[in-house]
Every structure is written in C-alpha cells, then in structure tokens.
Amino acid sequence: MRVLTMVALLGSALVAGVFFAFSTFVMKGLGYLPAARGAEAMNAINVAAPTAGLMVAMFGTALVCLVLGTASFVRLGDDGAAYRVLGCALYMVTILVTIFYHVPRNDALAALDPASAEGMAYWKEYLVQWTTWNHVRTVAPLGAAALLAIALRKAG
C-alpha cells in the first residue's frame, strides 16, 4: 500500500504540474497571439500532447488510483485509508474533466478553420472556458497529492 500510495502521489503531483503550466502561462501566451494563430498553436499542442509519457502519467496514475482507492476502501479502518480513498477519488476528477470536457472541446477546435470567423469566435470562447476548467484539472491532482501525502504520514 505504501508503494502504491507513493506512486499515486508522485503521479498526481506530476500531472498537477503539467496542468499548472497550462493554467498559468501556456494558455495566456496563446491568448496573446492573433486568434487564428492561437487556435493553430493549440491544435498543434493537442496533436503533440498524447505522447506515451503524458498518457502514462495521467492514465497510469488513474489506474494506480483505482487499485489503491479500491483496496483502501475495503480497508477503511486502516491508518490513512480514508485519505487514500479521498485522494484517489479527487485524482479521478482530473480524468473525468479531461475526457468529458477538454477532449470534446479540443476536437471541436480542430474541426474548425482557425482563420474563419467561426473559428476565431470559437477560439475566444474556448480560451477562457478551457482555461477555467483546466484550473480544476490543476487543483484536483494537487489536492490528491496532498491527501496521499497525509495518508503516508498517517500510516507511518
């Protein structure tokens, strides 16, 4: 349990860092570009992002959290178990927001001509809303990492 908790903690922290970068400066930088260029750059990022490294970090951590969270729930009376369950559940918010919010919007952005009036209008909306929900994707794994760290301390 200790090793799984540490892996989930480190994966959560790593993913939080990736999304923190997007929330604090990447999206802001893209927003400084003319709309068509910002949308083109974001489309390029969205094509480049699903690398093995990012997918292992995000979804590997999710898998570890599913195993750890389930095992901890079964042993809810153990020291730190409640923190592990909560941390793992909070991490899963990251995955749910990614799948059900960000991916569909990324696909919609990619389907538009960035230089069209529709594409430029969508980009302005996308930039604000995508970033707002990315803050959730930043805070959720960061909170998960904190809860998992508390769990490690409680378990001794």
Side-chain angles (χ1 to χ4, degrees):
M1 293 294 274
R2 187 166 184 78
V3 171
L4 286 176
T5 304
M6 187 64 102
V7 170
L9 187 161
L10 292 173
S12 295
L14 177 62
V15 170
V18 169
F19 293 135
F20 177 79
F22 270 84
S23 281
T24 58
F25 61 86
V26 172
M27 297 307 285
K28 186 177 282 190
L30 294 177
Y32 290 145
L33 297 171
R37 288 185 48 213
E40 287 172 0
M42 188 64 185
N43 282 331
I45 289 169
N46 288 335
V47 168
T51 61
L54 181 60
M55 295 299 100
V56 167
M58 281 184 66
F59 294 103
T61 300
L63 179 61
V64 170
C65 281
L66 285 173
V67 170
L68 178 63
T70 301
S72 297
F73 186 77
V74 170
R75 299 179 185 130
L76 210 47
D78 292 358
D79 290 339
Y83 289 100
R84 287 191 301 271
V85 170
L86 291 173
C88 290
L90 189 54
Y91 181 81
M92 296 311 291
V93 169
T94 306
I95 300 303
L96 294 173
V97 170
T98 298
I99 292 170
F100 294 109
Y101 186 83
H102 285 96
V103 169
R105 276 146 191 87
N106 292 347
D107 292 345
L109 182 67
L112 296 171
D113 176 358
S116 71
E118 182 183 16
M120 288 188 277
Y122 184 74
W123 171 248
K124 289 181 188 291
E125 173 187 315
Y126 172 99
L127 187 62
V128 172
Q129 293 176 358
W130 193 99
T131 303
T132 298
W133 278 96
N134 195 65
H135 296 333
V136 174
R137 288 199 307 176
T138 302
V139 171
L142 186 59
L147 288 166
L148 293 165
I150 292 168
L152 282 173
R153 184 161 172 94
K154 294 278 185 188

